[in-house]
Amino acid sequence: MASPMRSLLADPDRYLQSFRLFLERSTEHQCMQEFVDRQLPDVIASIGNEKSTINVLSVGGGAGEMDLQILSKIRARYPGATINNEVIEPSADQIAKYKERVAQSSNLENITFTWHKETAYEYESRMNAEKKTKKWDFIHMIQMLYYVKDVPATIRYFHSLLESQAKLLIILVSGKSGWETLWKKYGSSFPLEDLCSYVSSADLPRMLDSAGLKYRLYELPSHMDITSCFIEGDKDGELLLDFLTETLDFAKTAPPELKHQLMEELRKPGCSENRDGKVFFNNNLGVIVIEP
């Protein structure tokens, strides 16, 4: 009999390993990069008008790869301004990597960096305790809303920190992606406990409409090669299955019936498409740009 399933987040090393493999096998960063190159200049077109300092807040900035690309676009749009970039990130390991990336990058003159090792909720609590309200010209939350307890409250709080010309940018999995199909059907079978919540771009319009917020939606096509998931005993395939299900050693600990159903589901058009003998999981992302 399979042993009880445990959340992948219970083993940070394996989580990081599976996440790195996911980035390697998917077009996640490429499609975000394309958005930053093509659409972001329009999004930030007025955030720094007549300002000598532009304040940017990165919520869940990770290792900073996307952050630095965003900052380079802001810098190109407002060459004379100083950019004050603050980062909220709970992982010391990710902050260390971010600092390394900054140290190795050129073209960061005029940009100051401050890191806060805390969650979005801890940041909010600290600011409230210190009775501080700092306003921002641009706030972004990339792939982090899954890790907050109360999604609408988190969005409302950070939205309340926007300056009059500012924008709040959210990127997360699309409601049209394979993730949505997988989570709707099998989310309740995965051992997530309360470490993570299943939220996609399909859930946001309802929340934003009820809060009376103005926003724009974008769909970013992305895919991930999951062919190795169907090769029994393949180490990379097992890691990707862990990432897809947020389950530690899913291939070894999932009840056989659940494993069988999930593997079948992963091949279906709702999750993936077959091309040239390979299976590509639909990893589409949704971008939401919220006005002040």
Side-chain angles (χ1 to χ4, degrees), residues 40-239:
L40 191 70
D42 283 346
V43 172
I44 58 170
S46 59
I47 62 167
N49 283 356
E50 293 159 23
K51 295 199 167 197
S52 56
T53 301
I54 297 171
N55 293 311
V56 179
L57 182 63
S58 164
V59 187
E65 188 174 350
M66 293 315 299
D67 285 23
L68 294 191
Q69 292 188 38
I70 288 169
L71 290 169
S72 78
K73 289 287 178 238
I74 296 174
R75 193 166 167 268
R77 177 70 182 79
Y78 303 101
T82 299
I83 300 170
N84 161 42
N85 183 64
E86 294 195 27
V87 182
I88 300 168
E89 171 53 56
S91 160
D93 179 58
Q94 294 287 77
I95 289 176
K97 287 194 170 63
Y98 196 142
K99 289 180 175 176
E100 227 170 87
R101 188 166 261 131
V102 167
Q104 290 163 2
S105 299
S106 53
N107 301 335
L108 296 179
E109 330 54 80
N110 298 0
I111 305 177
T112 60
F113 290 86
T114 310
W115 288 271
H116 304 283
K117 187 189 169 301
E118 55 194 356
T119 63
Y121 180 70
E122 286 163 351
Y123 174 85
E124 182 181 343
S125 304
R126 177 170 64 82
M127 293 313 247
N128 288 339
E130 293 172 8
K131 297 198 172 13
K132 282 186 186 166
T133 310
K134 182 164 182 176
K135 293 283 190 174
W136 302 89
D137 300 300
F138 190 64
I139 300 176
H140 58 86
M141 305 171 156
I142 297 177
Q143 294 290 44
M144 61 68 67
L145 277 180
Y146 322 109
Y147 307 105
V148 305
K149 290 274 186 289
D150 186 336
V151 174
T154 300
I155 293 174
R156 274 198 307 274
Y157 171 70
F158 285 102
H159 178 264
S160 75
L161 307 182
L162 293 178
E163 288 279 21
S164 60
Q165 297 284 311
K167 296 283 190 292
L168 168 58
L169 171 85
I170 295 172
I171 301 182
L172 74 173
V173 300
S174 163
K176 297 174 180 154
S177 69
W179 295 103
E180 177 85 347
T181 306
L182 216 52
W183 292 346
K184 282 224 158 51
K185 277 204 170 176
Y186 297 102
S188 58
S189 307
F190 301 149
L192 263 191
E193 290 124 23
D194 60 353
L195 292 167
C196 192
S197 62
Y198 293 129
V199 57
S200 76
S201 67
D203 301 309
L204 262 56
R206 186 174 34 84
M207 296 176 193
L208 301 175
D209 290 341
S210 68
L213 301 180
K214 286 196 307 189
Y215 57 90
R216 273 181 296 162
L217 290 170
Y218 303 81
E219 182 84 6
L220 309 187
S222 173
H223 60 260
M224 166 170 59
D225 184 348
I226 59 168
T227 313
S228 58
C229 292
F230 301 94
I231 303 166
E232 198 62 45
D234 185 283
K235 291 280 169 271
D236 283 354
E238 289 181 358
L239 264 179

